[in-house]
Structure formats: C-alpha cells, structure tokens
Amino acid sequence: MTTEERIKTSETRIFKAVFPNTTNHYDTLFGGTAMHLMDEVAFITATRFTRKRMVTVSSDRIDFTRPIPAGTIIELIGKISHIGNTSLKVQVEIYIEEMYSFEREKAITGTFTFVAIDEHKQKVSVL
C-alpha cells in the first residue's frame, strides 16, 4: 500500500451526542472533554496509519471557534497532516450538527503530534 493510500484509509470519523454530563456551566461542551475526544481520535488515526505503538507528544494548537451546545451531535475527523521519520501529525476537526436540522459547522480544529515506539519505548520509524 502506498503512503497516499495509507493516509486515506487511516482517516478516522467518530460521532458523539453532546449530553448534559459533558457540558460546562454555559451548557456547552467542556473544553477538556473536547480535547480528550480529539486526542483519542488522533491516536486512532495515527495507529491506523502506522499499525505501531503510538504516543502523544504534543498538542500543537487547538482553536475553539464555536461553542458546542448540549443536545447536538458532533463529528470528529482525524487526518494525517505530516509524516516525519519517527513522528507524525494528525489534524482533528470537530463539526457540530443540529439534531433536528441539516445545519453543520466547524467548531474546533487541533493538531496533535505522535511518536512511534517499540516495546522498549524506543523511537521507531512510522513507515
């Protein structure tokens, strides 16, 4: 499989409903919960691309552009955005979907960096 094919097949999409137990005092998705979900999707994307042990080494930037209200559906999309020797970057976007309409808008974008490691926790090639 080519690198381009691996990038395409590793794209990860997860849907979640935003329930009150995940919201803050403004009745919107708690930022820490959003970051947790984004890191999880990024990890799955990185692992699907490499099929190796991956660890998060940084979250480079996370932009919260829209609040995510309770009672909505969110879609998290993880895509490989950069490949190095032992590390790679995954961009994760969160989209808001109203439950009872077809409106959809991007709410959060973030980039996460992962390193591939072996069973002794030593860096290994991602390819």
Side-chain angles (χ1 to χ4, degrees):
M1 183 181 297
T2 67
T3 301
E4 292 76 24
E5 289 170 329
R6 286 172 65 185
I7 290 170
K8 185 177 173 98
T9 60
S10 67
E11 182 177 304
T12 302
R13 295 172 176 264
I14 294 177
F15 290 87
K16 295 279 189 182
V18 180
F19 292 116
N21 67 328
T22 62
T23 61
N24 58 27
H25 56 289
Y26 297 112
D27 208 26
T28 59
L29 185 66
F30 181 63
T33 301
M35 292 170 62
H36 167 92
L37 294 169
M38 293 174 80
D39 187 37
E40 184 177 340
V41 168
F43 168 76
I44 293 168
T45 304
T47 302
R48 292 179 73 208
F49 176 80
T50 64
R51 297 300 173 171
K52 297 182 180 181
R53 293 175 179 89
M54 301 301 291
V55 292
T56 308
V57 293
S58 73
S59 54
D60 302 340
R61 180 181 177 122
I62 300 175
D63 294 316
F64 296 83
T65 56
R66 298 257 189 250
I68 300 175
T72 57
I73 298 167
I74 57 172
E75 180 182 18
L76 298 98
I77 304 171
K79 298 177 184 179
I80 302 295
S81 60
H82 175 78
I83 303 166
N85 293 325
T86 60
S87 66
L88 54 78
K89 291 183 183 279
V90 178
Q91 181 176 11
V92 179
E93 298 173 328
I94 299 181
Y95 289 87
I96 307 167
E97 293 185 9
E98 298 292 330
M99 282 201 191
Y100 307 111
S101 77
F102 292 101
E103 290 187 35
R104 175 182 167 92
E105 61 183 324
K106 189 187 314 184
I108 305 174
T109 303
T111 303
F112 296 79
T113 303
F114 289 83
V115 169
I117 59 171
D118 64 16
E119 62 275 3
H120 305 293
K121 299 183 180 148
Q122 298 301 308
K123 292 180 185 179
V124 295
S125 172
V126 295
L127 294 175

